[in-house]
Amino acid sequence: MSGSIFGTNLKMSTFGESHGVALGAVLDGFPAGMELSEEDIQKFLDRRKPGSSSITTPRKEDDKVEILSGIFEGRTTGTPISMLVRNTSQRSADYSEIASYYRPGHADFCLDAKYGFRDYRGGGRSSGRETIGRVACGAICSKLLSQMGIEVYAYTKSIGDVEIDYNRFNREDILKNITAMPDLEADKKAVALIEQCKKDGDSIGGVIECVIKNVPAGIGEPVFDKLDALLAHAVMSIGAVKAVEIGDGTTASKSKGSENNDAFINDNGVVSKATNHSGGILGGISDGRDIIIRAHVKPTPSISSLQKTVNKDMEEIDISIKGRHDPVVVPRAVVVVESMCAFTLLDLMISNMHSRVQSIIDFYK
Amino acid sequence: MSGSIFGTNLKMSTFGESHGVALGAVLDGFPAGMELSEEDIQKFLDRRKPGSSSITTPRKEDDKVEILSGIFEGRTTGTPISMLVRNTSQRSADYSEIASYYRPGHADFCLDAKYGFRDYRGGGRSSGRETIGRVACGAICSKLLSQMGIEVYAYTKSIGDVEIDYNRFNREDILKNITAMPDLEADKKAVALIEQCKKDGDSIGGVIECVIKNVPAGIGEPVFDKLDALLAHAVMSIGAVKAVEIGDGTTASKSKGSENNDAFINDNGVVSKATNHSGGILGGISDGRDIIIRAHVKPTPSISSLQKTVNKDMEEIDISIKGRHDPVVVPRAVVVVESMCAFTLLDLMISNMHSRVQSIIDFYK
Amino acid sequence: MSGSIFGTNLKMSTFGESHGVALGAVLDGFPAGMELSEEDIQKFLDRRKPGSSSITTPRKEDDKVEILSGIFEGRTTGTPISMLVRNTSQRSADYSEIASYYRPGHADFCLDAKYGFRDYRGGGRSSGRETIGRVACGAICSKLLSQMGIEVYAYTKSIGDVEIDYNRFNREDILKNITAMPDLEADKKAVALIEQCKKDGDSIGGVIECVIKNVPAGIGEPVFDKLDALLAHAVMSIGAVKAVEIGDGTTASKSKGSENNDAFINDNGVVSKATNHSGGILGGISDGRDIIIRAHVKPTPSISSLQKTVNKDMEEIDISIKGRHDPVVVPRAVVVVESMCAFTLLDLMISNMHSRVQSIIDFYK
Amino acid sequence: MSGSIFGTNLKMSTFGESHGVALGAVLDGFPAGMELSEEDIQKFLDRRKPGSSSITTPRKEDDKVEILSGIFEGRTTGTPISMLVRNTSQRSADYSEIASYYRPGHADFCLDAKYGFRDYRGGGRSSGRETIGRVACGAICSKLLSQMGIEVYAYTKSIGDVEIDYNRFNREDILKNITAMPDLEADKKAVALIEQCKKDGDSIGGVIECVIKNVPAGIGEPVFDKLDALLAHAVMSIGAVKAVEIGDGTTASKSKGSENNDAFINDNGVVSKATNHSGGILGGISDGRDIIIRAHVKPTPSISSLQKTVNKDMEEIDISIKGRHDPVVVPRAVVVVESMCAFTLLDLMISNMHSRVQSIIDFYK
C-alpha cells in the first residue's frame, strides 16, 4: 500500500532515503497564484539542518532545495510543486557495520520483517532525513496561512525534565536558542543536560508544543477527519513521536467536567471562551481559540554506550553505535511538527470552504 | 469534504444522529467467506449500551442491529456490509432548551460556525451515539482477527486518579465490572468516585488502554500510514479523547536512550525484545510484541452544576444541563477504542500482504 | 479493496443486493443547508422503476426510499445522508436454477473466481438494482446543480439501429416516452424493435447521451482527475456500459485538426466557441460549452433463447434463461447515467472552489 | 484538489511542465524485491521520444531518466520510487506568441478560466510531455506483470481511415514501424496520409488498441472500481483521448444479446469462453480472456493552417501555429496507453489479493 502520501485536497507525496540520490516531495493540489521562491522553502529546511551547534550531529548536510515544477514567473500555477534536495555529505562507510545487526529502538528489524531486506545506510527511509519532504511542503503551506493572518509556531517545551517557564516565554528565542526553547534559562539548563548525555554516550527525549493562532471557528470534518484526529495522525507519523496531546491533553483524564469545560463568553459581540482547556478544538472542529498540540519525542535510539541486541545469525551480542548522532532530536524536529500542523490545518481549511450549500452557490454566481 | 469514511482497503462509512431515524455503517472492502451473524455485532453493541448500571445514564437504548447487505447463506460475500440501528427511546423534549445556547465543552458552537445551523437534539451527530457505526464495524474486524489468533482488548486504566494495579489485573473483569476495569479493587473505588461526581452534578475523565496480542512483525505503512499514526488518527477521532499514547508514551519524553531502547533477544530462534517500551511499534511498523495504546478521555461536558455560557442572542447566562447523562463516558467508550484499533490493525494487515513482490507472484502462481 | 465508494469531496457509498434485505447509499460530504425531502429522491428512483410499460420487466418494484440521517428540519446538515430502499417483491424461487451454471454475459463466473462463491439470487450485487444507491445520490446532486442553473439531462439516443433525429428533438418527451427517447417517431420504431426482440427471446443494446448545460469554464482537475476522465470512470462503472464518448468521441479519431478544432469567438464580451466538437471539455477542463457524453450499453444478457454454457460440474449445457427480464436496459439506465454525471460534476465543481489562492483568502476574510 | 495522483494501493504522483526544470513521477506502494534499473524505464521512455522519424516533431528530447530513491543494491525496497527527467531542449522562444491568444483545441482558455493565468510555454502541464511520469511508472509495472506471465501491449489500430488488417498482424512490427502499427501495409498508407497532412499544415487522429494477455479471472473491484471503469479513467485521462471502448465497445450498442453474449466452455477442465465480445471483462471483473481496450485520439490541435480564435484583448483574430508539432500524436501515445493499462491492472491485481478471508488467514499463518 502507498504510505508516503498524506492529505486530502492538498497532498504531499514524499520520497527519499538517508543515503540515496536525493530526498524531496511533490505537493499536489496547492492553489494557483501565490508567490513562491526557493528561499521560502530553504528558510524552513535550514531550521532542521544539523551541524550548527554543539548539541547536534557534526554531520554537514547542505540540504539545498531545488524547485522542479509548479512555478511560473514566480507564482504557483496550481500544478504539482516538486522539490528536491540532493544528498551530498553522506559517508556510507559509517554504516557498514550496522548492516549486520538490529539496532535497538530503530526500525531495522521491522523493515526486514516487512520487506525482506532493508537499505541499512543511515536507516534508509526511516532516517530523520525523510522529513525533508514534509518540511518543504510545510513551508509552502505556512506561507499561505501567514497571508491569512494565521500563525503556526512550534517550540521545545521540555527536554528530559527541563521544562520552559511560560512566564519567561519569548517567541523570538525559538529560532535563536539551539534547543528551540522560548526561554533562555531553560535553554541553558537543557544544553547542560544534553551535553551530559553526550558525554555519557546516552540520549534524551523531550516535548514539542505547537500553537496555531487566529484559526477561524469551523475547521475540521467530523467524524473521522476531525481537526484533532488529523493533527494526531500527522504528528504521530513523525519518527520518534510516542504521544500526542491536544489542549489539556493527558490532564483532561484526571479532571472534572466543572474544571475542564470552557465557558463561552461574549467578547465584544463575538462568541469566545473564558479559558482554553480544549486546545481550540471541540467535537473535532476549531472553536476560534488557539490550537494547542504537543508531541512527546523519545530519546535518540542511536547511543554509543553498550547495548544488547541480536545479529543476523541470531547471536545475542553487545554493541556500541558509533557515528555522528544527535543526543536529542527534539530541537531539529520542531520545524517538522510545525510543518505537519501547517499542512494539516490548511488542508482542512480548504475542505471547510464547501461546508455550506450557500458558499458553493455564491462562488459560482 | 467527506469526513465520515475511514480506512484504506477496508472502509467504514458511518452515519446517523442521536435523534434521527437511525444510525449505522457500511463496511466496504471486507473479504468474502467469513461467517457473520447479527449476534456477532450485537455482542459488541451491547457493551456500549447505557442503562445497565448505576453509573451510566438511565436512558434505555435497545440498539438492535439489522444487517441489510453483504451476507449470503451466513457468510460475507465481499460486498458492502450495511448495518442499521434504529433510534427508539429518544425523547426530543429533553433537549428543547439547549437549542437556545451553546453548551460548554460541546460542539454546539463549532457546528453552527461551520454549517450555519445544527441538529441540536441530543447533540446530533456529535453525540456518543455516533459510535454505533464504528462499533458495528469493529465487531466484524475483531472476529476475523481472533480467527488469526490476534486478541484485541481494551479496558479502563483509570478514572480520575483511581488507577488499576497491574498486579491485580484480571482480564475477565473487564466485561463484568461496570467501570470496565480489570481490577476489582480499583473498580470499587472508581464507582465511589463516580457516584460522588453524580451527586455533585459533576463528571470525571479517565484513561482507556488497548492491548493487541500476537500481531506479526511488519504491519504499518511508513511514512504517513505508520501503525501508530493510524491508531492515533482512529482513536483521537473518538469524541472526548484528548491525548493518545503508544507504549511508554508521554514517559518517553523524559527518558534516556539507554532506558527507552528495547534490547533485541533471541527467543528460541525468533527475534524478540527483552522489554516493550516501544509498545510494539518501531518506525511505525509492528515489532512482534504487544501493541499498547492509551486514550485520555475528558470528563463528560454535560453537567448539572451551574455553568456560564452565551445564548443565541449573545447574552451571557448561567445554565444547568438537565437530562440523563453519564457522569463518566470512559466505561462505555472502552469498546469504541477497541473497535477502532481492531479496524485499523486489520486494514493495515491487509495492506501488508503486498509489501513484497514475491508475495504477489506467489499469490497468482 | 473497498470498491463501492466513489468521489473525492463528495462520496457515495452504496450497498445492497438484488434479493438482500435492502439497497441504498450513504452520501457523505454533501454541504449543509439545502432543502431535501424523500420526494426529491423518489422522483429519480421512479424513473428507473420497472413494470411501467410493455418493454420493461413485469416485476413490480416499489422502491420506496427512506432517509435515515443527515436532514434536520427539512434541510441537509452537512452530515452523511443515508438512504434506504427495502426489497419487497423479490421472488427468490425464480433464480434457484441459475445457481447451478454460469449465465453468459453475466458476472456469475467472475464473482466465483474472485470471491469463491456468490449470492446468485437475481445476480446479487451485480444486478441492475445496485444502481438504486447511485440514483438516490444523483437526485440530491442534481437538485443542487439545478439551483445553480445547471441542467443535467440524459436520454436514449439509439436502440439497436434506431436513432433519434435531432431535428425532432423534444426534451419533454424523455420522461413521457417509454424508451426515454426525445423523438416520438424514433420512440415508436424502437418500441417495435424491442417487442420483436422480446418475441424472439432476444435483447438489444443502445446508446444513452447526457448533456450538461451552463457549466462554468474551469471544472476538472488535471492530469488524472480531468472532467472527462472522471465522467468516463463514473459512467463505465455502470453495468452493461462498454464504451464512453466525449463530444465527437469516436469520430475524432478519423478527423483532421482543421475539422476537430473549435474556433474561439467573442460572444458579447465572453469567450465562447463557434462549434463544440470537444463536447465542452478541453485538456480535461470544462470550456463553458455544453458537456456531451455518450454511453454505449450492451444488450441485456438474460435472454430466453437457447445459449451454451457450463455448469458447476464443468459440463457444457444448453440453457434458456427464464424470469422477468428487460429486453433492453437502456431506458431504465438513462437516469443512472444522468445521476452519475450529476454527482461527478458537482464533486469537481466543489474541488474547483480552491483552485486559486485568492479564493481561499477571500473566503476567510 | 489534488489531481496529479492516481491509483489505490499503487499510486503514481506525476509532476512537471513542458518547459519547466524537470518532469517525473513518484511511484508509491510498489512492493519490495524487484530488480530495477534506469534502463528498464529508459526503454519505455524512448518509445515516446520524438525526433526519430519523418512523422514526428523534429524537436530533440533526450529524456534521460534518473532514479532518485526507492532502490537499494539494484532492487526495489518498498519505499517510493522517484524518477526524474530534466528538460534540456526546450526553446521557449518558440512559444512567446501563443501567450497572447487561446489556441483552438488546447487547454489555454480553460487553464486561464480555472487558475487565473497559465504557464503558456509549450502548453505547460497540458503538454504531451506530462506523460513522461506516467510512462516511467508504467515501465516498472509492466516489468512485474511480465514476470507473472502477463503481457500488455498497445499499438496503433488506425490513423484517419487507414486501419490495420488483423490478418497481417505482426506484433514485432509495433516497435519497428514509425506509426506503431503491427501491419506493414497499413503503416505505409498511414505514413503517406500523415505526410500529406503535414504538407497541408493539418493533422489527423487515430485509434490505439491495448491487449492484455493471461490476466487471471477475478480482477476488478465492483461497483465503482471495476476493471473497465478504472481502465476508462486511466486512459481517458490521457490528453487527446475522446472515447474509450472495451471489447466490442460501441458495436455492443447495436447488437442483440444472442450475438453479444460469450458462451462459456470447458477448455480442458478450465472455464473459458467461445468468443470474447466482452473484451475480457464481465460485471467489471476480468473473465480470464484477453482484455481489450481502445482509445480514440483526436488530431493534434496545433496546426499551421489558418484558424480563428480570440486574443487576450478579446479580439477575434486569424492565427497559424508555428513550431515543431507532430501531425499525429497516436504513435507516440501508444506507450502511454500501454503504461496506464499496466499500472491500472497491477493496482487491481494487488487489491484482489484480499478478496477472500481465507487468503488473509493463509498469508499470516
Side-chain angles (χ1 to χ4, degrees):
Chain A
M1 164 192 161
S2 159
S4 284
I5 298 178
F6 187 67
T8 299
N9 281 300
L10 277 183
K11 282 201 167 82
M12 62 163 89
S13 174
T14 73
F15 60 86
E17 280 83 33
S18 178
H19 287 57
V21 178
L23 298 114
V26 183
L27 177 61
D28 189 22
F30 195 85
M34 189 179 80
E35 290 186 12
L36 186 73
S37 69
E38 283 163 356
E39 288 97 299
D40 291 320
I41 298 159
Q42 196 63 50
K43 265 189 316 192
F44 267 62
L45 287 176
D46 287 350
R47 288 172 58 195
R48 66 166 296 294
K49 221 166 64 172
S52 45
S53 80
S54 63
I55 63 164
T56 60
T57 163
R59 291 194 311 267
K60 287 270 173 258
E61 296 170 356
D62 261 352
D63 292 351
K64 285 291 166 213
V65 73
E66 181 184 14
I67 299 178
L68 303 175
S69 66
I71 307 292
F72 180 60
E73 298 182 341
R75 285 190 299 156
T76 60
T77 59
T79 63
I81 304 169
S82 178
M83 295 162 287
L84 199 70
V85 169
R86 287 197 178 261
N87 281 320
T88 52
S89 98
Q90 280 58 37
R91 309 188 208 153
S92 292
D94 283 357
Y95 298 98
S96 53
E97 189 191 334
I98 64 170
S100 68
Y101 58 73
Y102 296 132
R103 292 170 300 163
H106 277 286
D108 301 347
F109 166 66
C110 301
L111 291 167
D112 270 14
K114 185 175 190 68
Y115 298 114
F117 76 119
R118 71 183 188 278
D119 179 351
Y120 49 77
R121 302 166 303 165
R125 183 141 174 83
S126 66
S127 156
R129 286 187 66 70
E130 165 263 312
T131 60
I132 284 175
R134 301 176 185 238
V135 172
C137 295
I140 300 174
C141 296
S142 270
K143 183 167 185 179
L144 177 49
L145 289 172
S146 77
Q147 291 184 4
M148 291 190 280
I150 295 170
E151 302 170 43
V152 187
Y153 58 97
Y155 46 84
T156 300
K157 180 183 162 63
S158 66
I159 289 178
D161 46 18
V162 180
E163 192 159 333
I164 60 165
D165 179 340
Y166 288 94
N167 294 317
R168 291 191 300 257
F169 193 101
N170 181 358
R171 194 169 147 190
E172 287 172 19
D173 281 337
I174 301 172
L175 298 185
K176 283 187 201 151
N177 289 342
I178 56 179
T179 60
M181 278 176 153
D183 168 355
L184 266 173
E185 245 175 78
D187 174 66
K188 272 180 219 161
K189 282 187 208 161
V191 169
L193 171 62
I194 296 165
E195 285 176 345
Q196 186 58 47
C197 287
K198 208 172 157 183
K199 230 172 282 175
D200 300 342
D202 212 338
S203 63
I204 187 78
V207 175
I208 297 167
E209 192 163 74
C210 186
V211 175
I212 319 182
K213 283 192 177 303
N214 304 326
V215 178
I219 310 305
E221 302 293 327
V223 296
F224 297 119
D225 292 330
K226 292 174 171 176
L227 178 51
D228 40 4
L230 284 184
L231 286 171
H233 184 155
V235 170
M236 191 70 97
S237 78
I238 303 170
V241 173
K242 298 301 286 184
V244 177
E245 301 181 85
I246 302 291
D248 279 9
T250 58
T251 308
S253 63
K254 297 204 182 310
S255 304
K256 297 199 168 160
S258 56
E259 299 159 346
N260 188 258
N261 283 349
D262 300 313
F264 285 106
I265 56 170
N266 176 336
D267 182 11
N268 290 313
V270 175
V271 174
S272 185
K273 300 189 314 178
T275 52
N276 189 21
H277 297 291
S278 75
I281 305 175
L282 284 170
I285 304 173
S286 63
D287 64 20
R289 289 291 300 268
D290 290 0
I291 309 287
I292 294 166
I293 182 165
R294 275 182 302 287
H296 290 257
V297 179
K298 74 175 186 180
T300 321
S302 290
I303 54 177
S304 59
S305 61
L306 226 60
Q307 297 185 89
K308 293 191 177 302
T309 192
V310 295
N311 65 16
K312 56 185 174 185
D313 300 322
M314 289 298 286
E315 293 164 325
E316 298 190 344
I317 56 171
D318 286 330
I319 60 161
S320 162
I321 299 177
K322 308 295 180 208
R324 304 161 298 169
H325 302 289
D326 292 311
V328 63
V329 299
V330 171
R332 295 180 58 201
V334 162
V335 71
V336 183
V337 170
E338 190 177 306
S339 293
M340 292 305 292
C341 290
F343 175 90
T344 303
L345 175 66
L346 181 59
D347 191 20
L348 281 171
M349 285 183 70
I350 287 172
S351 293
N352 179 57
M353 289 173 65
H354 31 80
S355 293
R356 302 186 193 189
V357 159
Q358 196 57 47
S359 306
I360 302 174
I361 293 174
D362 288 348
F363 183 87
Y364 284 108
K365 214 167 261 171
Chain B
M1 163 193 162
S2 160
S4 285
I5 298 179
F6 187 67
T8 300
N9 281 299
L10 277 183
K11 283 201 168 82
M12 61 163 91
S13 172
T14 74
F15 60 87
E17 280 82 33
S18 179
H19 286 58
V21 178
L23 298 115
V26 182
L27 178 60
D28 190 21
F30 195 84
M34 188 179 80
E35 290 187 12
L36 187 73
S37 69
E38 283 161 356
E39 288 96 299
D40 291 320
I41 298 159
Q42 195 63 52
K43 265 191 314 193
F44 267 62
L45 287 176
D46 287 350
R47 287 172 59 195
R48 64 166 298 293
K49 222 166 65 174
S52 45
S53 81
S54 63
I55 62 164
T56 60
T57 163
R59 291 193 311 268
K60 286 270 173 257
E61 296 169 357
D62 262 352
D63 292 351
K64 283 291 165 213
V65 72
E66 182 184 14
I67 299 178
L68 302 175
S69 66
I71 308 293
F72 180 60
E73 297 182 341
R75 285 191 298 156
T76 59
T77 58
T79 62
I81 304 170
S82 177
M83 294 162 287
L84 199 71
V85 168
R86 288 199 177 262
N87 282 320
T88 52
S89 98
Q90 281 57 38
R91 310 188 206 152
S92 292
D94 284 357
Y95 298 97
S96 52
E97 190 190 334
I98 63 169
S100 67
Y101 59 73
Y102 296 131
R103 291 170 302 162
H106 278 285
D108 301 348
F109 165 66
C110 301
L111 291 167
D112 270 15
K114 184 175 192 66
Y115 299 115
F117 76 121
R118 72 184 188 277
D119 179 351
Y120 49 75
R121 302 166 305 165
R125 185 143 174 82
S126 67
S127 158
R129 286 186 67 69
E130 166 262 312
T131 60
I132 283 175
R134 302 176 184 239
V135 172
C137 295
I140 300 173
C141 297
S142 269
K143 184 167 184 179
L144 177 49
L145 289 172
S146 77
Q147 291 184 5
M148 292 191 279
I150 295 170
E151 302 170 43
V152 187
Y153 58 96
Y155 46 83
T156 301
K157 180 183 161 64
S158 67
I159 289 178
D161 48 19
V162 180
E163 192 159 333
I164 60 165
D165 179 340
Y166 287 93
N167 294 317
R168 291 191 300 258
F169 193 100
N170 182 358
R171 192 167 148 192
E172 287 172 19
D173 282 338
I174 300 172
L175 298 185
K176 283 188 200 149
N177 289 342
I178 57 179
T179 59
M181 278 175 154
D183 168 356
L184 266 172
E185 248 176 74
D187 174 68
K188 270 181 220 159
K189 283 187 207 159
V191 169
L193 171 62
I194 297 165
E195 284 175 346
Q196 187 58 46
C197 287
K198 208 172 156 183
K199 229 172 280 174
D200 299 342
D202 212 337
S203 64
I204 187 78
V207 175
I208 297 167
E209 193 163 74
C210 186
V211 175
I212 319 183
K213 282 191 178 304
N214 304 326
V215 178
I219 311 304
E221 302 294 327
V223 296
F224 297 119
D225 293 329
K226 291 175 171 176
L227 179 50
D228 41 4
L230 284 184
L231 286 172
H233 184 155
V235 171
M236 191 70 97
S237 78
I238 302 169
V241 173
K242 298 301 285 184
V244 177
E245 300 181 85
I246 303 291
D248 280 10
T250 58
T251 308
S253 62
K254 298 205 181 310
S255 303
K256 298 197 167 162
S258 55
E259 300 159 345
N260 187 259
N261 284 350
D262 301 312
F264 286 105
I265 56 171
N266 175 337
D267 182 10
N268 292 312
V270 175
V271 175
S272 185
K273 300 190 313 178
T275 52
N276 189 22
H277 297 290
S278 77
I281 305 175
L282 284 169
I285 304 174
S286 63
D287 64 20
R289 289 290 301 268
D290 291 0
I291 309 288
I292 293 166
I293 181 165
R294 276 181 303 286
H296 290 257
V297 179
K298 73 176 188 180
T300 322
S302 291
I303 54 176
S304 59
S305 62
L306 226 59
Q307 297 184 89
K308 292 191 177 304
T309 192
V310 295
N311 65 15
K312 55 185 174 184
D313 300 323
M314 290 297 288
E315 293 164 326
E316 298 191 345
I317 56 171
D318 286 330
I319 61 161
S320 161
I321 298 176
K322 308 296 181 208
R324 303 161 298 168
H325 302 290
D326 292 311
V328 63
V329 299
V330 170
R332 296 180 58 201
V334 161
V335 71
V336 183
V337 170
E338 191 177 306
S339 293
M340 292 305 291
C341 290
F343 175 90
T344 302
L345 175 66
L346 182 58
D347 192 19
L348 281 171
M349 286 183 70
I350 287 173
S351 294
N352 179 56
M353 291 172 64
H354 30 78
S355 293
R356 302 185 193 189
V357 159
Q358 197 56 47
S359 306
I360 302 175
I361 292 173
D362 288 348
F363 184 87
Y364 284 108
K365 214 168 260 171
Chain C
M1 165 192 161
S2 159
S4 285
I5 297 179
F6 187 67
T8 299
N9 281 299
L10 275 183
K11 282 200 167 80
M12 64 162 88
S13 172
T14 74
F15 61 86
E17 279 82 34
S18 178
H19 286 57
V21 179
L23 299 115
V26 182
L27 177 60
D28 189 22
F30 194 85
M34 188 179 81
E35 290 186 12
L36 186 73
S37 69
E38 283 162 355
E39 288 96 299
D40 290 321
I41 299 159
Q42 196 63 50
K43 266 190 315 194
F44 267 63
L45 287 176
D46 287 351
R47 288 172 59 194
R48 65 166 296 295
K49 221 167 64 174
S52 45
S53 80
S54 64
I55 62 163
T56 61
T57 163
R59 290 195 310 268
K60 285 271 174 259
E61 296 169 356
D62 263 351
D63 293 350
K64 284 290 167 212
V65 72
E66 181 185 13
I67 299 178
L68 302 176
S69 67
I71 307 292
F72 180 60
E73 297 183 341
R75 286 189 299 156
T76 59
T77 58
T79 63
I81 304 169
S82 177
M83 295 163 286
L84 200 72
V85 168
R86 288 197 177 262
N87 280 321
T88 52
S89 97
Q90 280 58 37
R91 310 188 207 152
S92 293
D94 283 356
Y95 297 98
S96 54
E97 190 191 334
I98 63 169
S100 67
Y101 58 73
Y102 296 132
R103 293 169 300 163
H106 278 284
D108 301 348
F109 166 67
C110 301
L111 290 168
D112 271 15
K114 185 176 191 65
Y115 298 114
F117 76 120
R118 71 183 189 278
D119 179 351
Y120 49 77
R121 301 165 304 165
R125 183 140 175 84
S126 67
S127 156
R129 286 187 67 68
E130 166 263 312
T131 60
I132 283 175
R134 301 175 185 240
V135 172
C137 294
I140 299 174
C141 297
S142 271
K143 183 167 184 178
L144 176 49
L145 289 172
S146 78
Q147 290 184 5
M148 291 191 279
I150 296 170
E151 303 170 42
V152 187
Y153 57 96
Y155 46 84
T156 301
K157 179 183 162 64
S158 66
I159 288 177
D161 49 17
V162 180
E163 192 159 333
I164 61 165
D165 180 339
Y166 288 93
N167 295 317
R168 290 190 301 258
F169 194 99
N170 182 358
R171 192 168 148 191
E172 288 171 19
D173 281 338
I174 300 172
L175 298 185
K176 283 189 201 149
N177 289 343
I178 57 179
T179 60
M181 278 174 152
D183 167 356
L184 265 173
E185 247 176 76
D187 173 67
K188 270 182 220 160
K189 283 189 208 157
V191 168
L193 170 63
I194 295 164
E195 284 175 346
Q196 187 57 48
C197 286
K198 207 172 157 182
K199 228 172 282 174
D200 300 342
D202 213 338
S203 64
I204 187 78
V207 175
I208 297 167
E209 192 162 74
C210 185
V211 175
I212 320 183
K213 282 191 177 305
N214 304 326
V215 179
I219 311 305
E221 302 293 327
V223 295
F224 297 119
D225 292 329
K226 291 174 171 176
L227 179 50
D228 40 4
L230 284 184
L231 286 171
H233 184 156
V235 170
M236 190 70 96
S237 78
I238 303 169
V241 173
K242 298 301 285 184
V244 177
E245 301 181 86
I246 303 290
D248 279 10
T250 57
T251 308
S253 63
K254 298 204 181 309
S255 302
K256 298 197 168 162
S258 56
E259 300 160 345
N260 188 259
N261 284 349
D262 301 313
F264 286 106
I265 56 170
N266 176 337
D267 182 10
N268 290 311
V270 174
V271 174
S272 186
K273 301 190 313 179
T275 52
N276 188 22
H277 297 290
S278 75
I281 305 175
L282 284 170
I285 304 173
S286 63
D287 66 18
R289 289 290 301 267
D290 291 359
I291 309 288
I292 294 166
I293 181 164
R294 276 182 303 286
H296 290 256
V297 179
K298 74 176 187 179
T300 322
S302 290
I303 55 177
S304 60
S305 62
L306 226 58
Q307 297 183 89
K308 292 190 178 303
T309 192
V310 294
N311 65 16
K312 55 185 173 185
D313 301 322
M314 289 298 287
E315 293 164 326
E316 297 191 343
I317 56 171
D318 286 331
I319 60 160
S320 161
I321 298 177
K322 307 294 180 210
R324 304 160 297 168
H325 302 288
D326 292 311
V328 63
V329 299
V330 171
R332 294 181 58 201
V334 161
V335 70
V336 183
V337 170
E338 190 177 306
S339 293
M340 291 305 291
C341 290
F343 175 90
T344 302
L345 175 65
L346 181 58
D347 191 20
L348 281 170
M349 285 183 70
I350 286 172
S351 294
N352 179 57
M353 289 172 65
H354 30 80
S355 293
R356 302 186 192 188
V357 160
Q358 197 56 48
S359 306
I360 302 175
I361 293 173
D362 289 348
F363 184 86
Y364 285 108
K365 213 168 262 173
Chain D
M1 164 192 161
S2 159
S4 284
I5 298 180
F6 186 67
T8 299
N9 282 299
L10 276 183
K11 284 201 166 81
M12 63 163 90
S13 173
T14 73
F15 61 86
E17 280 82 33
S18 179
H19 286 57
V21 177
L23 299 115
V26 182
L27 177 60
D28 189 21
F30 194 84
M34 189 179 81
E35 289 185 13
L36 186 71
S37 68
E38 282 162 356
E39 289 94 298
D40 291 320
I41 298 159
Q42 196 63 51
K43 268 191 313 193
F44 267 63
L45 287 176
D46 287 350
R47 288 172 59 195
R48 63 167 297 294
K49 223 167 65 174
S52 45
S53 81
S54 64
I55 62 165
T56 60
T57 163
R59 289 194 311 268
K60 285 270 173 260
E61 296 168 358
D62 262 351
D63 292 350
K64 284 291 167 212
V65 73
E66 180 185 15
I67 299 179
L68 303 176
S69 66
I71 308 294
F72 180 60
E73 298 182 341
R75 285 189 299 157
T76 59
T77 59
T79 62
I81 304 168
S82 178
M83 294 162 287
L84 200 71
V85 169
R86 288 197 178 261
N87 281 319
T88 52
S89 97
Q90 281 56 40
R91 309 189 207 152
S92 293
D94 284 355
Y95 297 97
S96 53
E97 188 190 336
I98 64 170
S100 68
Y101 57 73
Y102 295 131
R103 292 170 300 162
H106 278 285
D108 302 348
F109 166 66
C110 301
L111 290 168
D112 271 13
K114 185 174 191 66
Y115 298 114
F117 76 121
R118 71 184 189 277
D119 178 351
Y120 49 76
R121 301 165 304 165
R125 185 143 174 81
S126 67
S127 157
R129 285 186 67 69
E130 166 262 313
T131 60
I132 283 176
R134 303 175 184 240
V135 172
C137 295
I140 300 174
C141 297
S142 270
K143 183 167 185 181
L144 177 49
L145 289 172
S146 78
Q147 291 185 5
M148 292 191 279
I150 296 170
E151 302 170 43
V152 188
Y153 57 96
Y155 46 84
T156 300
K157 180 183 160 64
S158 66
I159 289 177
D161 49 19
V162 180
E163 192 159 335
I164 61 165
D165 181 339
Y166 288 93
N167 294 317
R168 291 190 300 257
F169 193 100
N170 182 359
R171 193 167 147 192
E172 287 171 20
D173 282 338
I174 300 173
L175 297 185
K176 283 189 201 148
N177 288 342
I178 56 177
T179 59
M181 278 175 153
D183 168 355
L184 266 172
E185 247 176 75
D187 174 68
K188 270 182 221 158
K189 282 189 209 158
V191 169
L193 171 61
I194 296 165
E195 285 176 344
Q196 187 58 47
C197 287
K198 209 172 154 182
K199 228 173 282 173
D200 300 343
D202 211 338
S203 64
I204 187 78
V207 175
I208 297 167
E209 192 162 73
C210 186
V211 176
I212 319 183
K213 283 193 177 301
N214 304 326
V215 179
I219 311 304
E221 302 293 327
V223 297
F224 297 119
D225 292 330
K226 292 175 171 175
L227 178 50
D228 40 4
L230 284 185
L231 287 171
H233 183 155
V235 170
M236 190 70 96
S237 77
I238 303 169
V241 173
K242 300 300 286 185
V244 176
E245 301 182 85
I246 303 290
D248 280 10
T250 57
T251 310
S253 63
K254 298 206 181 311
S255 302
K256 298 198 168 162
S258 56
E259 300 159 345
N260 187 259
N261 284 349
D262 300 313
F264 286 105
I265 57 170
N266 176 336
D267 181 10
N268 291 313
V270 174
V271 175
S272 186
K273 302 190 312 179
T275 52
N276 188 21
H277 297 290
S278 75
I281 305 175
L282 283 169
I285 304 174
S286 63
D287 65 18
R289 289 290 302 267
D290 291 0
I291 310 288
I292 293 164
I293 181 164
R294 274 182 304 286
H296 290 256
V297 179
K298 72 176 189 181
T300 321
S302 290
I303 54 177
S304 59
S305 64
L306 227 58
Q307 297 184 87
K308 292 190 177 303
T309 192
V310 294
N311 64 16
K312 53 185 175 184
D313 301 322
M314 289 297 288
E315 294 164 326
E316 298 190 343
I317 56 172
D318 285 331
I319 61 162
S320 163
I321 299 178
K322 308 295 181 210
R324 304 160 297 168
H325 303 288
D326 292 309
V328 64
V329 298
V330 171
R332 294 181 59 201
V334 162
V335 71
V336 183
V337 169
E338 190 177 306
S339 292
M340 292 305 291
C341 290
F343 175 90
T344 302
L345 175 66
L346 181 59
D347 192 20
L348 282 170
M349 286 183 70
I350 286 172
S351 293
N352 179 57
M353 290 172 65
H354 32 78
S355 293
R356 301 186 193 189
V357 160
Q358 197 57 47
S359 307
I360 301 175
I361 292 173
D362 289 348
F363 184 86
Y364 285 107
K365 214 170 261 171

